Short mmCIF file of all heavy atoms in Angstrom, two decimals:
data_model
loop_
_atom_site.label_atom_id
_atom_site.label_comp_id
_atom_site.label_asym_id
_atom_site.label_seq_id
_atom_site.Cartn_x
_atom_site.Cartn_y
_atom_site.Cartn_z
N ALA A 1 91.36 86.07 79.21
CA ALA A 1 90.47 85.65 80.29
C ALA A 1 89.35 84.76 79.78
O ALA A 1 88.69 84.07 80.56
CB ALA A 1 89.87 86.88 80.97
N GLN A 2 89.14 84.79 78.46
CA GLN A 2 88.03 84.04 77.86
C GLN A 2 88.53 83.29 76.63
O GLN A 2 89.21 83.87 75.78
CB GLN A 2 86.92 85.03 77.46
CG GLN A 2 85.73 84.43 76.77
CD GLN A 2 84.71 85.49 76.41
OE1 GLN A 2 84.31 86.29 77.26
NE2 GLN A 2 84.29 85.52 75.17
N LEU A 3 88.23 82.02 76.54
CA LEU A 3 88.59 81.26 75.35
C LEU A 3 87.71 81.69 74.18
O LEU A 3 86.62 82.23 74.37
CB LEU A 3 88.46 79.76 75.62
CG LEU A 3 89.52 79.19 76.56
CD1 LEU A 3 89.25 77.72 76.85
CD2 LEU A 3 90.93 79.37 75.99
N PRO A 4 88.16 81.45 72.94
CA PRO A 4 87.47 82.03 71.79
C PRO A 4 86.05 81.50 71.57
O PRO A 4 85.77 80.32 71.79
CB PRO A 4 88.38 81.68 70.61
CG PRO A 4 89.26 80.59 71.09
CD PRO A 4 89.42 80.78 72.54
N GLU A 5 85.20 82.43 71.14
CA GLU A 5 83.83 82.13 70.71
C GLU A 5 83.73 82.48 69.24
O GLU A 5 84.25 83.51 68.81
CB GLU A 5 82.85 82.96 71.54
CG GLU A 5 81.40 82.80 71.16
CD GLU A 5 80.49 83.72 71.97
OE1 GLU A 5 81.01 84.48 72.82
OE2 GLU A 5 79.27 83.69 71.73
N PHE A 6 83.07 81.64 68.45
CA PHE A 6 83.06 81.78 67.00
C PHE A 6 81.64 81.99 66.47
O PHE A 6 80.69 81.38 66.97
CB PHE A 6 83.64 80.52 66.34
CG PHE A 6 85.04 80.19 66.76
CD1 PHE A 6 85.29 79.41 67.88
CD2 PHE A 6 86.12 80.67 66.05
CE1 PHE A 6 86.58 79.10 68.27
CE2 PHE A 6 87.43 80.38 66.44
CZ PHE A 6 87.65 79.59 67.55
N HIS A 7 81.53 82.87 65.45
CA HIS A 7 80.28 83.05 64.73
C HIS A 7 80.59 83.02 63.24
O HIS A 7 81.63 83.50 62.80
CB HIS A 7 79.63 84.40 65.08
CG HIS A 7 78.89 84.39 66.37
ND1 HIS A 7 77.66 84.98 66.54
CD2 HIS A 7 79.20 83.88 67.59
CE1 HIS A 7 77.25 84.83 67.79
NE2 HIS A 7 78.18 84.16 68.45
N SER A 8 79.67 82.49 62.45
CA SER A 8 79.91 82.38 61.01
C SER A 8 78.81 83.01 60.17
O SER A 8 78.81 82.88 58.95
CB SER A 8 80.08 80.91 60.61
OG SER A 8 81.23 80.36 61.23
N SER A 9 77.85 83.70 60.79
CA SER A 9 76.79 84.38 60.04
C SER A 9 77.30 85.74 59.57
O SER A 9 77.32 86.70 60.34
CB SER A 9 75.54 84.55 60.91
OG SER A 9 74.54 85.23 60.21
N LEU A 10 77.76 85.80 58.31
CA LEU A 10 78.47 86.97 57.81
C LEU A 10 77.93 87.39 56.46
O LEU A 10 77.29 86.61 55.76
CB LEU A 10 79.97 86.65 57.66
CG LEU A 10 80.70 86.11 58.89
CD1 LEU A 10 82.11 85.71 58.50
CD2 LEU A 10 80.73 87.15 59.99
N PRO A 11 78.23 88.63 56.05
CA PRO A 11 77.93 89.03 54.67
C PRO A 11 78.71 88.16 53.68
O PRO A 11 79.66 87.46 54.05
CB PRO A 11 78.39 90.49 54.61
CG PRO A 11 78.41 90.95 56.03
CD PRO A 11 78.75 89.75 56.85
N SER A 12 78.33 88.23 52.42
CA SER A 12 79.00 87.44 51.39
C SER A 12 80.40 87.97 51.11
O SER A 12 80.73 89.11 51.46
CB SER A 12 78.18 87.46 50.10
OG SER A 12 78.20 88.77 49.53
N ILE A 13 81.22 87.15 50.46
CA ILE A 13 82.55 87.57 50.05
C ILE A 13 82.46 88.80 49.16
O ILE A 13 83.24 89.75 49.31
CB ILE A 13 83.27 86.43 49.30
CG1 ILE A 13 83.53 85.24 50.25
CG2 ILE A 13 84.58 86.92 48.68
CD1 ILE A 13 84.50 85.52 51.37
N GLU A 14 81.48 88.83 48.25
CA GLU A 14 81.32 89.97 47.35
C GLU A 14 80.99 91.24 48.13
O GLU A 14 81.52 92.31 47.83
CB GLU A 14 80.23 89.67 46.33
CG GLU A 14 80.59 88.60 45.30
CD GLU A 14 80.59 87.19 45.87
OE1 GLU A 14 79.98 86.96 46.96
OE2 GLU A 14 81.21 86.29 45.24
N GLU A 15 80.13 91.13 49.13
CA GLU A 15 79.76 92.30 49.93
C GLU A 15 80.95 92.80 50.76
O GLU A 15 81.19 94.01 50.86
CB GLU A 15 78.58 91.96 50.84
CG GLU A 15 77.27 91.78 50.09
CD GLU A 15 76.18 91.25 50.99
OE1 GLU A 15 76.46 90.35 51.84
OE2 GLU A 15 75.03 91.69 50.84
N LEU A 16 81.69 91.85 51.35
CA LEU A 16 82.85 92.25 52.16
C LEU A 16 83.91 92.92 51.28
O LEU A 16 84.51 93.93 51.67
CB LEU A 16 83.44 91.03 52.86
CG LEU A 16 82.59 90.40 53.96
CD1 LEU A 16 83.25 89.13 54.49
CD2 LEU A 16 82.31 91.38 55.09
N ALA A 17 84.15 92.37 50.10
CA ALA A 17 85.13 92.97 49.19
C ALA A 17 84.71 94.37 48.79
O ALA A 17 85.53 95.31 48.79
CB ALA A 17 85.29 92.08 47.96
N ALA A 18 83.43 94.57 48.45
CA ALA A 18 82.95 95.89 48.08
C ALA A 18 83.10 96.88 49.23
O ALA A 18 83.45 98.05 49.02
CB ALA A 18 81.50 95.80 47.63
N MET A 19 82.85 96.42 50.44
CA MET A 19 82.99 97.28 51.62
C MET A 19 84.42 97.76 51.81
O MET A 19 84.68 98.82 52.40
CB MET A 19 82.52 96.51 52.86
CG MET A 19 82.53 97.27 54.16
SD MET A 19 82.13 96.20 55.57
CE MET A 19 83.57 95.12 55.62
N LEU A 20 85.39 96.99 51.27
CA LEU A 20 86.82 97.31 51.41
C LEU A 20 87.42 97.88 50.12
O LEU A 20 88.63 98.06 50.03
CB LEU A 20 87.58 96.05 51.82
CG LEU A 20 87.19 95.46 53.18
CD1 LEU A 20 87.78 94.07 53.34
CD2 LEU A 20 87.62 96.36 54.32
N TYR A 21 86.57 98.15 49.12
CA TYR A 21 87.03 98.63 47.81
C TYR A 21 88.01 97.64 47.18
O TYR A 21 88.98 98.04 46.54
CB TYR A 21 87.67 100.02 47.92
CG TYR A 21 86.71 101.12 48.31
CD1 TYR A 21 86.65 101.57 49.63
CD2 TYR A 21 85.87 101.71 47.38
CE1 TYR A 21 85.78 102.59 50.01
CE2 TYR A 21 84.99 102.73 47.74
CZ TYR A 21 84.95 103.15 49.05
OH TYR A 21 84.08 104.17 49.41
N LEU A 22 87.75 96.36 47.37
CA LEU A 22 88.61 95.31 46.81
C LEU A 22 87.80 94.43 45.86
O LEU A 22 86.56 94.45 45.87
CB LEU A 22 89.19 94.43 47.93
CG LEU A 22 90.13 95.11 48.93
CD1 LEU A 22 90.49 94.14 50.04
CD2 LEU A 22 91.38 95.64 48.24
N ALA A 23 88.50 93.64 45.08
CA ALA A 23 87.85 92.64 44.25
C ALA A 23 87.57 91.40 45.09
O ALA A 23 88.31 91.09 46.03
CB ALA A 23 88.76 92.27 43.08
N PRO A 24 86.49 90.66 44.77
CA PRO A 24 86.22 89.43 45.53
C PRO A 24 87.39 88.46 45.53
O PRO A 24 87.58 87.72 46.51
CB PRO A 24 85.00 88.84 44.80
CG PRO A 24 84.31 90.04 44.20
CD PRO A 24 85.43 90.98 43.81
N THR A 25 88.19 88.47 44.48
CA THR A 25 89.34 87.56 44.43
C THR A 25 90.45 87.95 45.40
O THR A 25 91.37 87.17 45.63
CB THR A 25 89.91 87.50 43.00
OG1 THR A 25 90.18 88.85 42.55
CG2 THR A 25 88.94 86.84 42.04
N ASP A 26 90.38 89.17 45.96
CA ASP A 26 91.36 89.59 46.97
C ASP A 26 91.09 88.93 48.32
O ASP A 26 91.98 88.91 49.19
CB ASP A 26 91.34 91.11 47.15
CG ASP A 26 91.94 91.85 45.97
OD1 ASP A 26 92.91 91.33 45.38
OD2 ASP A 26 91.45 92.94 45.64
N VAL A 27 89.86 88.45 48.54
CA VAL A 27 89.46 87.86 49.82
C VAL A 27 89.59 86.35 49.73
O VAL A 27 89.08 85.72 48.80
CB VAL A 27 88.02 88.25 50.18
CG1 VAL A 27 87.62 87.66 51.53
CG2 VAL A 27 87.87 89.78 50.20
N LEU A 28 90.27 85.76 50.70
CA LEU A 28 90.48 84.31 50.68
C LEU A 28 89.20 83.57 51.03
O LEU A 28 88.34 84.07 51.79
CB LEU A 28 91.59 83.92 51.66
CG LEU A 28 92.99 84.47 51.38
CD1 LEU A 28 93.99 83.90 52.38
CD2 LEU A 28 93.44 84.18 49.95
N THR A 29 89.09 82.37 50.50
CA THR A 29 87.96 81.50 50.81
C THR A 29 88.52 80.14 51.22
O THR A 29 89.72 79.98 51.43
CB THR A 29 87.03 81.35 49.59
OG1 THR A 29 87.80 80.87 48.48
CG2 THR A 29 86.40 82.69 49.22
N GLY A 30 87.66 79.15 51.35
CA GLY A 30 88.12 77.84 51.78
C GLY A 30 88.43 77.83 53.27
O GLY A 30 87.71 78.43 54.07
N GLU A 31 89.53 77.18 53.64
CA GLU A 31 89.87 77.06 55.07
C GLU A 31 90.10 78.43 55.71
O GLU A 31 89.76 78.64 56.88
CB GLU A 31 91.11 76.19 55.24
CG GLU A 31 91.45 75.93 56.70
CD GLU A 31 92.71 75.11 56.88
OE1 GLU A 31 93.42 74.87 55.89
OE2 GLU A 31 92.99 74.71 58.03
N MET A 32 90.65 79.36 54.95
CA MET A 32 90.94 80.70 55.49
C MET A 32 89.83 81.69 55.14
O MET A 32 90.07 82.84 54.81
CB MET A 32 92.28 81.20 54.95
CG MET A 32 93.48 80.42 55.45
SD MET A 32 93.80 80.61 57.22
CE MET A 32 94.50 82.26 57.27
N SER A 33 88.59 81.26 55.24
CA SER A 33 87.45 82.15 54.96
C SER A 33 87.27 83.15 56.10
O SER A 33 87.73 82.92 57.23
CB SER A 33 86.16 81.32 54.82
OG SER A 33 86.20 80.52 53.68
N PRO A 34 86.60 84.27 55.82
CA PRO A 34 86.27 85.22 56.89
C PRO A 34 85.48 84.53 58.01
O PRO A 34 84.67 83.63 57.76
CB PRO A 34 85.43 86.27 56.17
CG PRO A 34 85.90 86.22 54.75
CD PRO A 34 86.20 84.77 54.49
N GLN A 35 85.76 84.97 59.23
CA GLN A 35 85.07 84.42 60.39
C GLN A 35 85.09 85.43 61.52
O GLN A 35 86.05 86.20 61.67
CB GLN A 35 85.74 83.12 60.85
CG GLN A 35 84.98 82.39 61.96
CD GLN A 35 85.60 81.05 62.30
OE1 GLN A 35 86.82 80.86 62.21
NE2 GLN A 35 84.78 80.08 62.71
N ALA A 36 84.04 85.43 62.32
CA ALA A 36 83.96 86.30 63.49
C ALA A 36 84.37 85.52 64.74
O ALA A 36 83.90 84.40 64.95
CB ALA A 36 82.55 86.85 63.66
N VAL A 37 85.26 86.12 65.53
CA VAL A 37 85.79 85.46 66.74
C VAL A 37 85.87 86.49 67.86
O VAL A 37 86.17 87.67 67.61
CB VAL A 37 87.20 84.87 66.49
CG1 VAL A 37 87.63 84.02 67.69
CG2 VAL A 37 87.25 84.05 65.21
N SER A 38 85.62 86.06 69.08
CA SER A 38 85.76 86.93 70.24
C SER A 38 86.45 86.21 71.38
O SER A 38 86.18 85.04 71.65
CB SER A 38 84.38 87.40 70.72
OG SER A 38 84.48 88.14 71.92
N CYS A 39 87.37 86.93 72.04
CA CYS A 39 87.88 86.53 73.35
C CYS A 39 87.52 87.62 74.36
O CYS A 39 88.30 87.97 75.24
CB CYS A 39 89.38 86.30 73.30
SG CYS A 39 89.88 84.78 72.48
N GLY A 40 86.33 88.17 74.21
CA GLY A 40 85.87 89.27 75.06
C GLY A 40 85.35 90.43 74.25
O GLY A 40 84.40 91.10 74.64
N VAL A 41 86.01 90.70 73.11
CA VAL A 41 85.56 91.72 72.16
C VAL A 41 85.53 91.06 70.78
O VAL A 41 86.54 90.55 70.31
CB VAL A 41 86.51 92.94 72.14
CG1 VAL A 41 86.02 93.99 71.15
CG2 VAL A 41 86.62 93.55 73.54
N PRO A 42 84.37 91.06 70.09
CA PRO A 42 84.28 90.37 68.80
C PRO A 42 84.96 91.15 67.67
O PRO A 42 84.89 92.39 67.62
CB PRO A 42 82.77 90.28 68.54
CG PRO A 42 82.11 90.60 69.84
CD PRO A 42 83.05 91.50 70.57
N PHE A 43 85.60 90.41 66.77
CA PHE A 43 86.21 90.97 65.56
C PHE A 43 85.85 90.08 64.38
O PHE A 43 85.77 88.85 64.53
CB PHE A 43 87.74 91.05 65.70
CG PHE A 43 88.19 92.07 66.70
CD1 PHE A 43 88.34 91.72 68.03
CD2 PHE A 43 88.47 93.37 66.32
CE1 PHE A 43 88.75 92.66 68.97
CE2 PHE A 43 88.88 94.32 67.25
CZ PHE A 43 89.01 93.96 68.57
N LEU A 44 85.67 90.71 63.24
CA LEU A 44 85.48 89.97 62.00
C LEU A 44 86.81 89.88 61.28
O LEU A 44 87.37 90.89 60.85
CB LEU A 44 84.46 90.68 61.11
CG LEU A 44 84.28 90.12 59.69
CD1 LEU A 44 83.99 88.63 59.72
CD2 LEU A 44 83.20 90.89 58.95
N PHE A 45 87.34 88.67 61.17
CA PHE A 45 88.63 88.43 60.53
C PHE A 45 88.41 88.18 59.05
O PHE A 45 87.65 87.27 58.67
CB PHE A 45 89.36 87.26 61.20
CG PHE A 45 89.75 87.57 62.61
CD1 PHE A 45 88.94 87.20 63.67
CD2 PHE A 45 90.91 88.28 62.88
CE1 PHE A 45 89.30 87.52 64.98
CE2 PHE A 45 91.27 88.60 64.18
CZ PHE A 45 90.46 88.22 65.23
N ILE A 46 89.08 89.00 58.21
CA ILE A 46 88.96 88.88 56.77
C ILE A 46 90.36 88.67 56.20
O ILE A 46 91.15 89.61 56.09
CB ILE A 46 88.31 90.13 56.15
CG1 ILE A 46 86.96 90.42 56.81
CG2 ILE A 46 88.16 89.96 54.64
CD1 ILE A 46 86.27 91.67 56.29
N PRO A 47 90.72 87.43 55.85
CA PRO A 47 92.04 87.16 55.27
C PRO A 47 92.10 87.61 53.81
O PRO A 47 91.16 87.36 53.04
CB PRO A 47 92.17 85.64 55.40
CG PRO A 47 91.09 85.21 56.34
CD PRO A 47 90.00 86.19 56.15
#
């Protein structure tokens, strides 16, 4: 019902990796960086 809305104000890659018990190298950067998107309910996408 709603086209996507984007936010990019996020914790650092190192913080996100620690939150997931992963190494920073496990989290992708560049074009496939983490990003927050909503089509009604927001989600933080972490590739």
Side-chain angles (χ1 to χ4, degrees):
Q2 177 181 309
L3 289 176
E5 177 183 0
F6 302 88
H7 280 223
S8 296
S9 178
L10 305 173
S12 69
I13 295 294
E14 290 74 18
E15 289 172 320
L16 292 176
M19 183 186 68
L20 297 167
Y21 294 100
L22 296 174
T25 53
D26 288 324
V27 181
L28 297 185
T29 57
E31 185 182 8
M32 293 293 285
S33 293
Q35 187 175 32
V37 188
S38 175
C39 285
V41 180
F43 291 88
L44 172 53
F45 294 95
I46 305 178

